[in-house]
Amino acid sequence: MAPPRDPRRLCRLVQEGQLRALQEELEAAGGCQGPARDTLLHCAARHGRQNILAYLVEAWSMDIEAANRDYKRPLHEAASMGHRNCVRYLLDRGAAVDSLKKADWTPLMMACTRKNLEVIQDLVEHGANPLLKNKDGWNSFHIASREGDPVILRYLLTVCPDAWKTESKIRRTPLHTAAMHGCFEAVQELLDRCDYAPDCRDNCGVTPFMDAIQCGHVHIAMLLLEKHKEGQTSTVQTLLSLGANINSKDERNRSALHLACAGQHVACTKFLLQSGLKDSADLTGTLAQQLTESRDILRDFDHTVKS
């Protein structure tokens, strides 16, 4: 059969869910590929048209493993958009659950870019491997940490307890990623359930604490200090040498002094005071020095005032 004059029309019919019009077009002209070498299956899966997906597979015997120019299969499309009905249909028809698209992304990795637990569960229950890594060294847990849904992280740790023990090719951990992207609940989950070293560093020497501070997520930096019980004086020195603003504050108007005093970090507090950081009240009117019980810290505040 001759191909239709405008292949994009078939894709548009799929996108709009016009099954009857699509049937008429195909009967007249046969199947085709879209402008990006997508098959109509790709288009149906991307837009969540499970009825059209089933029609194309069952009436036209279209290949569910057809790959486009990025090596995406229809399952990649359905998973990346969170269309559970299409994901389940393709899996039930025998789609390869760990097929790789360009850059070695699996359908599970793509599902983890969406906060859709049911799709992730369907893929895992059909054998998807959370430990597979893409070309950058990220596994599915790493990707889920970037999106920051603690429920999904909890599920992945339940089905694969070692999923957190991963580093990218430049040695960045899921904790680095969650801290950098400001995912507070994800950071909490990672600190509670995973055994990350307090000073884990990537190839550039950056710790999760440094990521949080550099990106302005002071509340996450405070959480990391509290959980890991580290003063991070050397980290603060490094940040200031890189041009970080010592006077930056979080949404509650707390400064780095509040963090250091709340954590009872003597050396860190002393360094901040020597660097010129002044004590100031947060939104509740609380000064940093009111958060400490350390006599050494209070003595440093007195010496700074006198000097």
Side-chain angles (χ1 to χ4, degrees), residues 158-191:
T158 299
V159 297
C160 190
D162 289 338
W164 67 273
K165 297 178 183 178
T166 184
E167 293 180 343
S168 71
K169 288 188 175 179
I170 58 172
R171 297 186 59 201
R172 290 183 63 77
T173 66
L175 185 59
H176 281 90
T177 301
M180 183 179 73
H181 287 273
C183 302
F184 184 83
E185 291 183 337
V187 171
Q188 280 184 312
E189 191 70 23
L190 296 174
L191 291 174

Side-chain angles (χ1 to χ4, degrees), residues 183-249:
C183 302
F184 184 83
E185 291 183 337
V187 171
Q188 280 184 312
E189 191 70 23
L190 296 174
L191 291 174
D192 289 343
R193 299 191 54 163
C194 309
D195 192 23
Y196 289 108
D199 60 348
C200 56
R201 297 174 181 270
D202 65 13
N203 281 353
C204 296
V206 176
T207 66
F209 175 83
M210 294 170 72
D211 272 330
I213 288 291
Q214 286 179 312
C215 295
H217 307 308
V218 180
H219 57 312
I220 291 178
M222 177 176 282
L223 177 63
L224 289 164
L225 285 178
E226 291 172 351
K227 290 288 185 178
H228 280 154
K229 306 300 181 187
E230 293 291 328
Q232 300 286 0
T233 303
S234 62
T235 299
V236 174
Q237 290 173 319
T238 301
L239 287 170
L240 293 180
S241 71
L242 294 173
N245 182 8
I246 194 174
N247 295 304
S248 62
K249 297 180 180 180

